Amino acid sequence: MNFERSENQKMIAQMVRDFAEKEIRPNVMKWDESQEFPRELFHKMGALGIMGVLVPEQYGGAGLSYFEYISVIEEIAKVCGSIGLSTAAHNSLCTNHILEFGNEEQKQKYLPKLASGEWIGAWGLTEANTGSDAMRMKCTAVQDGDYWVINGTKNWITHGISGEIAVVLVRTGELLDSKGITAFAIERGTPGFSGGKKENKLGMRASETAELIFENCRVHKSQVLGKVGEGFQQAMKILDGGRISIGALSMGIAKGAFEASVKYAKEREQFGQPIANFQAIAFKLADMQTEIEASEMLLYQSAHLKNNKMKMTKESAMAKYYASEVAVRVSTDAVQIFGGYGYTKDFPVEKFYRDSKLCTIGEGTSEIQKLVISREILK
């Protein structure tokens, strides 16, 4: 497997890097401190193809592979984890679910709006009491003629308030029945569907996280994605690809923290010389670089398998698990290298430190990733 970046990848990475420097970096701390979700930014990103990276050109997307997708998420996350997270959730969860499992009419209706950034997408699986234990979800749908009546809530949903459309996993069968869950595409404005509490988070504060609330929400049968009862299997497949997203997000955060650390270590002087000259600092940088490159190899291996439509459950779980833990370790060491300055909001690493932790939790905790990996090993 040759993971050397193609000219196209390099060109796309440079384009996103330039955009992030111009449009995102000047506003990072303003958005973080106000917890503002910068909706207009995503319109601009849509014009560059960033909101439909994996969507075929026939539906208005960029039609690129997972290799380019990793580059896009990484470059954004190197500047701001929040914007990287929202970009990843929009692309790999909501948009990709419709792309993978929607019928032609649904694809034609929704994908151009999502790929252009005209619409932002949400994806709802998690509930207050069923995080990793999705089979016990309490959000239910009961059929009533040509409609399904949905009741319940979803929690921790990216774009739960601002998203114009949500792909929602709802129980349509018996509890613990893997064929008793169905996916629906539900448009904002549907009676009985609303956004709820917005979470006040440690990090990723400019990425909106909120409840989805359904109160006798009537959804037409034409909004079912795939077949009734296939939702859980669909969600597991979507999460396989989603792990590549969070792995790329993690790697971007780690690289951002690392690059800031190298620059600071060369400039900061103590005892008459740059602190980079001290082995205690130099060895930290060596560990950081090694772990980042190992993450990258795992991530690109997963992307290679995904691009070639090969099974990659174990590989994507390994990539997500390792990259997310590395992001936490690297950003922690970055704060240590910066010392007292690293603990202030005048320097970038405290934000990388706060943002990184979500990567070990979202789209399957590190513990769930180890469960997935071990099950694949022991099959």
Side-chain angles (χ1 to χ4, degrees):
M1 291 179 282
N2 178 15
F3 299 145
E4 184 178 353
R5 289 192 172 190
S6 67
E7 286 305 311
N8 194 45
Q9 277 177 268
K10 291 176 184 176
M11 183 179 70
I12 289 167
Q14 187 62 54
M15 176 196 74
V16 178
R17 192 177 305 132
D18 292 344
F19 177 85
E21 288 296 330
K22 180 184 177 184
E23 300 287 346
I24 300 174
R25 192 178 293 281
N27 300 299
V28 167
M29 292 313 295
K30 176 172 78 78
W31 292 336
D32 181 76
E33 292 183 2
S34 67
Q35 300 192 59
E36 175 188 349
F37 176 60
R39 185 68 181 76
E40 287 303 310
L41 176 74
F42 293 89
H43 284 306
K44 295 178 181 179
M45 289 165 67
L48 293 178
I50 294 171
M51 302 304 281
V53 180
L54 303 168
V55 175
E57 291 180 22
Q58 71 190 87
Y59 302 117
L64 299 172
S65 79
Y66 270 82
F67 288 153
E68 286 84 8
Y69 180 50
I70 288 171
S71 297
V72 167
I73 301 299
E74 176 193 325
E75 291 298 335
I76 295 172
K78 279 164 69 174
V79 175
C80 180
S82 294
I83 306 304
L85 174 62
S86 277
T87 307
H90 170 91
N91 275 280
S92 73
L93 297 179
C94 178
T95 303
N96 201 41
H97 199 132
I98 295 170
L99 175 63
E100 292 282 338
F101 299 107
N103 58 37
E104 190 59 29
E105 184 181 349
Q106 291 165 338
K107 291 177 186 178
Q108 294 283 358
K109 183 177 182 181
Y110 295 127
L111 292 179
K113 291 179 179 179
L114 289 163
S116 68
E118 177 187 349
W119 279 20
I120 294 285
W123 192 79
L125 175 65
T126 303
E127 297 179 7
N129 295 309
T130 58
S132 302
D133 189 10
M135 294 276 284
R136 295 181 193 273
M137 67 172 60
K138 294 178 180 177
C139 189
T140 60
V142 177
Q143 193 161 16
D144 179 19
D146 288 343
Y147 287 82
W148 289 85
V149 182
I150 303 176
N151 281 285
T153 59
K154 295 289 176 178
N155 293 68
W156 295 99
I157 309 305
T158 305
H159 312 142
I161 295 169
S162 297
E164 282 83 3
I165 185 168
V167 172
V168 185
L169 286 301
V170 180
R171 185 157 60 81
T172 51
E174 296 300 314
L175 200 68
L176 300 179
D177 179 4
S178 64
K179 295 183 179 177
I181 294 171
T182 301
F184 293 86
I186 309 176
E187 295 181 29
R188 187 72 61 183
T190 302
F193 171 37
S194 61
K197 177 192 173 189
K198 180 180 176 180
E199 301 295 343
N200 183 7
K201 308 191 299 286
L202 167 73
M204 302 291 195
R205 289 164 61 82
S207 178
E208 179 187 278
T209 306
E211 289 179 309
L212 300 178
I213 300 173
F214 301 94
E215 298 173 296
N216 292 320
C217 178
R218 293 176 64 82
V219 179
H220 194 264
K221 64 182 181 181
S222 63
Q223 299 304 104
V224 171
L225 292 166
K227 294 179 181 178
V228 172
E230 289 183 344
F232 186 76
Q233 287 78 11
Q234 291 175 11
M236 294 304 103
K237 290 176 183 175
I238 292 300
L239 286 170
D240 275 354
R243 290 176 186 131
I244 295 176
S245 279
I246 302 300
L249 177 67
S250 303
M251 190 168 67
I253 290 170
K255 285 187 176 183
F258 172 72
E259 289 172 8
S261 298
V262 171
K263 183 174 183 292
Y264 183 80
K266 288 178 177 179
E267 295 172 351
R268 170 71 165 167
E269 290 195 0
Q270 290 286 273
F271 306 102
Q273 58 184 310
I275 63 171
N277 290 354
F278 299 118
Q279 192 177 79
I281 302 300
F283 278 15
K284 277 190 192 299
L285 296 173
D287 284 339
M288 292 158 86
Q289 178 78 84
T290 301
E291 292 196 314
I292 287 169
E293 294 208 9
S295 299
E296 201 159 19
M297 289 299 99
L298 285 168
L299 204 52
Y300 276 94
Q301 175 185 239
S302 300
H304 168 76
L305 295 172
K306 182 69 174 174
N307 285 338
N308 289 282
K309 302 188 185 309
M310 298 164 70
K311 183 174 170 59
M312 38 74 83
T313 300
K314 181 186 74 174
E315 288 78 8
S316 66
M318 289 166 65
K320 192 272 186 189
Y321 164 55
Y322 189 72
S324 63
E325 294 289 343
V326 164
V328 173
R329 287 197 291 271
V330 167
S331 58
T332 301
D333 280 346
V335 172
Q336 197 69 19
I337 288 169
F338 273 74
Y341 291 116
Y343 205 68
T344 72
K345 292 184 182 291
D346 294 329
F347 289 79
V349 291
E350 66 85 30
K351 184 174 183 297
F352 289 124
Y353 178 72
R354 288 186 289 109
D355 287 349
S356 68
K357 189 58 198 168
L358 185 275
C359 297
T360 70
I361 298 168
E363 291 194 42
T365 62
S366 292
E367 290 73 23
I368 288 294
Q369 303 309 324
K370 287 193 273 191
L371 184 65
V372 170
I373 296 161
S374 61
R375 281 178 176 171
E376 289 295 315
I377 291 168
L378 297 170
K379 270 186 178 176

